[in-house]
Amino acid sequence: MRLTDSVPISLDLTLRSGQVFHWEHQADGSWTGLIGDTPVRVAEKNGLLDVSRGSLALAENYFALDHPLEEIYAEFPRDPMSAEALELCRGLRIIRQPRWECLATFITSSMKQVAHIRSMSLSLRKAFGRPTEYGYTYPLPEILAASSEQALRACGLGYRAPNLLATAGIVARGNVDLDALAGLETPALLEALVKLPGVGVKVANCVLLFAYERLDAVPIDVWIHRVLIAMRRGRGGTPAQLARYARKNLGPYAGYVQQYLFHRARVSSK
DNA sequence: CGCCAGGGTCTCG
DNA sequence: CGAGACCATGGC
């Protein structure tokens, strides 16, 4: 039995929840984009994944159809905000992203709205990637490392440009092997990622969650920061205190809970 | 048009 | 360790 025959997913929620930024929503409701360098067209049919172009196995892995959603939901915290987020986001999956693409994209994400992260990502792809029928591939670290701060600024990166350039150089030279890092325990992996220019604790946790399958990782951005304070009945705290609170209260799939809370907070603010 | 955004880094106490 | 200043850009 194939996973696509039985496992539910909400593509709209998954592709609009600020994990990936390059997919295009077509007029017929389908989505087109690239999984790595492979053009793919996917749609949601009766709540299941329908792959009409590209590799089925590739899509099943990328959209993480093997994540046991019902088991994850059973571990959700019982507080009202988490419960409401769950009802709103049922079917949203944490995608398995290519590591470099994820790392590079989140280096550009600091103090940026989702819409602008998307526009920077598309600019970088168009300037440095290879054209395909569903958009441009994400440029390899070697390509970005050989570019220039000015060329990256031209893609709208602003002060983030030197960080992306420097990290691309480190990865391109092989000083850091993103695939080899997958063998590390989460704390050591976090420590390694944070050493890269433009990568702090928040960005590192995004990469842990979206590219290294650490489903307990909790990136704390301004939205989740507000959510955590609300959960603590208005009681604030240092970043370290809030991170500790999240670890203790959001359960073994804290990263999933965080993603649902993030999406709920964003849509309910409009 | 002013506010704000999936923050990181450096400095100073 | 913790708080503050500074950093560019564009959607809304």
Side-chain angles (χ1 to χ4, degrees), chain A residues 205-270:
Chain A
N205 273 290
C206 284
V207 178
L208 286 178
L209 180 60
F210 300 138
Y212 287 93
E213 287 189 81
R214 309 304 161 103
L215 300 184
D216 56 340
V218 178
I220 301 180
D221 72 327
V222 294
W223 293 96
I224 294 301
H225 183 85
R226 287 194 286 260
V227 167
L228 291 175
I229 289 176
M231 279 185 170
R232 287 155 60 91
R233 301 163 191 259
R235 190 163 55 92
T238 67
Q241 287 175 312
L242 291 178
R244 208 174 310 127
Y245 176 86
R247 264 201 310 279
K248 283 189 177 177
N249 293 277
L250 298 187
Y253 296 104
Y256 255 93
V257 178
Q258 169 278 149
Q259 193 64 16
Y260 283 38
L261 288 168
F262 173 76
H263 193 260
R264 172 188 172 277
R266 276 169 37 85
V267 299
S268 66
S269 79
K270 292 188 234 179

Side-chain angles (χ1 to χ4, degrees), chain A residues 8-127:
Chain A
I9 182 172
S10 168
L11 269 183
D12 285 358
L13 287 169
T14 300
L15 292 175
R16 287 190 214 274
S17 62
Q19 305 181 56
V20 280
F21 305 90
H22 64 289
W23 289 83
E24 301 276 356
H25 199 208
Q26 302 297 329
D28 65 1
S30 70
W31 291 87
T32 58
L34 296 167
I35 297 177
D37 292 346
T38 305
V40 172
R41 177 190 285 268
V42 289
E44 200 183 305
K45 191 181 285 181
N46 300 321
L48 304 178
L49 182 66
D50 180 55
V51 183
S52 57
R53 174 102 168 70
S55 157
L56 179 62
L58 193 66
E60 287 184 338
N61 180 66
Y62 182 75
F63 289 105
L65 294 193
D66 54 309
H67 285 175
L69 282 192
E70 288 311 320
E71 178 186 324
I72 291 168
Y73 295 161
E75 299 284 355
F76 254 58
R78 309 295 186 195
D79 68 276
M81 296 181 84
S82 300
E84 190 182 316
L86 172 54
E87 290 322 305
L88 181 68
C89 300
R90 213 170 262 281
L92 192 167
R93 288 177 181 273
I94 302 287
I95 293 177
R96 268 193 199 93
Q97 295 186 40
R99 294 183 177 122
W100 166 247
E101 180 181 318
C102 179
L103 171 62
T105 301
F106 278 95
I107 285 174
T108 69
S109 75
S110 78
M111 289 299 294
K112 281 297 181 187
Q113 298 179 133
V114 169
H116 194 216
I117 299 169
R118 171 182 168 82
S119 102
M120 285 185 295
S121 166
L122 295 181
S123 291
L124 282 169
R125 285 171 179 272
K126 186 160 189 176

Side-chain angles (χ1 to χ4, degrees), chain A residues 137-174:
Chain A
T137 61
Y138 200 89
L140 294 171
E142 290 79 4
I143 300 292
L144 293 183
S147 74
S148 68
E149 179 178 333
Q150 187 180 17
L152 296 182
R153 282 182 183 268
C155 294
L157 269 65
Y159 61 84
R160 304 156 194 81
N163 289 331
L164 182 58
L165 189 63
T167 292
I170 291 169
V171 175
R173 287 193 303 274

